[in-house]
Amino acid sequence: TEKKRSEEALRLREEQYRAIFEASSDAFVLRDANLDVVDVNPAFLQLYRFTREQLATRGGYPATFPPAYVAERRERIERALRGEESRTETIALRADGSTFEADMRVVPVRYRGAPHVLTVVRDITERRQRERELQKSEARLRATVEAAFDCIVSMDSEGRIVEFNAAAERCFGHSRSAVLGRLLGDVIIPERLRQGHRDGLNKFAHTGEGPFIGRLVETTALRADGSEFPVEIAIGVAAAPDD
């Protein structure tokens, strides 16, 4: 009958929901229209270090949690009950008082025919720490490059300038902002030498080898005013981090 088919379809949907809910590595917490916790998955209990009994209290937040913290979370849940989905990176508080950095989504859902809110939380502490360390490293590198007495000019695999320090600005007569993204060959290499530069780039792209890599080479460079002057160059290769 139609009723039995509907009941079977509902049962299958709930089984699928339960399988996804339980197996997810993200923390899930489901709340009803009263903001009470209806369900949490194992990942939530592990991440937040709650017991199910602790979550059974009215509103699902321990009395020890800061009022402002609880009020902000409840406000997001109430907005979701009105149909507004939100996502933010925030500091989350565990049952034992420790904290972690979290990517938190608050999503309006219907569960068993009634409005509910599903909060999905992912621990991003390690990722954010790596990003901060990378930013510090890049800042240190930038400071070192700018303080160098020698010209430091870097290009990407296409031969486009990605770094041009203060010494290079003084030596070549170009501002850093004016040359970033331009082909290095067009900026500081005399026209008669550019084909050799392009050939070297092409060989490196295909073989990873270049005739001048790791050597000190005497050649001629081009200033912004069109004048040429002798230079010594040392070419090195460095891997750039993925975006």
Side-chain angles (χ1 to χ4, degrees):
T1 66
E2 186 64 30
K3 181 180 179 181
K4 286 184 177 180
R5 285 195 295 270
S6 297
E7 290 175 348
E8 179 63 14
L10 178 61
R11 183 186 66 80
L12 289 174
R13 281 198 299 271
E14 292 201 354
E15 286 181 359
Q16 292 169 345
Y17 153 80
R18 175 57 55 186
I20 295 170
F21 194 84
E22 294 293 322
S24 176
S25 59
D26 290 334
F28 287 176
V29 56
L30 184 69
R31 294 176 182 269
D32 62 17
N34 296 318
L35 311 190
D36 294 333
V37 174
V38 175
D39 201 1
V40 297
N41 69 344
F44 180 93
L45 298 175
Q46 181 178 7
L47 179 58
Y48 279 88
R49 302 172 188 170
F50 277 105
T51 64
R52 291 185 183 274
E53 291 73 23
Q54 288 174 304
L55 295 169
T57 58
R58 183 74 174 174
Y61 290 99
T64 56
F65 273 24
Y69 177 95
V70 175
E72 193 273 337
R73 263 57 178 179
R74 285 179 172 166
E75 194 268 338
R76 284 184 178 275
I77 296 167
E78 288 169 350
R79 293 203 329 252
L81 285 168
R82 296 193 294 269
E84 179 183 339
E85 180 176 337
S86 64
R87 182 171 186 173
T88 187
E89 290 190 4
T90 184
I91 301 297
L93 187 61
R94 295 189 176 97
D96 60 8
S98 63
T99 61
F100 64 95
E101 295 182 76
D103 180 337
M104 183 174 69
R105 291 180 60 207
V106 184
V107 184
V109 296
R110 293 193 70 81
Y111 177 67
R112 295 182 176 175
H116 284 67
V117 175
L118 180 66
T119 301
V120 183
V121 179
R122 177 172 296 178
D123 185 351
I124 59 171
T125 305
E126 290 187 6
R127 174 171 67 81
R128 295 291 290 136
Q129 182 61 30
R130 289 195 300 270
E131 290 173 354
R132 285 190 290 269
E133 290 299 323
L134 179 59
Q135 288 170 356
K136 290 179 183 177
S137 177
E138 289 177 343
R140 289 193 295 268
L141 175 61
R142 182 72 197 150
T144 301
V145 167
E146 283 303 300
F149 288 105
D150 291 329
C151 301
I152 298 177
V153 181
S154 300
M155 64 180 178
D156 61 17
S157 60
E158 296 179 348
R160 297 188 180 279
I161 296 173
V162 296
E163 184 54 78
F164 203 82
N165 73 342
E169 289 183 309
R170 293 190 296 270
C171 186
F172 291 100
H174 293 283
S175 68
R176 181 175 185 271
S177 60
V179 299
L180 290 182
R182 292 178 59 189
L183 291 172
L184 181 141
D186 293 345
V187 175
I188 65 171
I189 297 178
E191 187 172 357
R192 68 182 182 280
L193 301 178
R194 290 174 187 172
Q195 186 58 52
H197 169 70
R198 288 191 289 267
D199 291 343
L201 277 178
N202 187 56
K203 180 178 180 180
F204 180 79
H206 288 87
T207 67
E209 299 177 353
F212 301 131
I213 293 174
R215 295 171 50 197
L216 188 63
V217 179
E218 293 185 359
T219 185
T220 302
L222 182 69
R223 292 190 181 97
D225 62 8
S227 62
E228 296 183 12
F229 63 104
V231 294
E232 286 184 338
I233 62 170
I235 301 175
V237 178
D242 295 332
D243 291 335

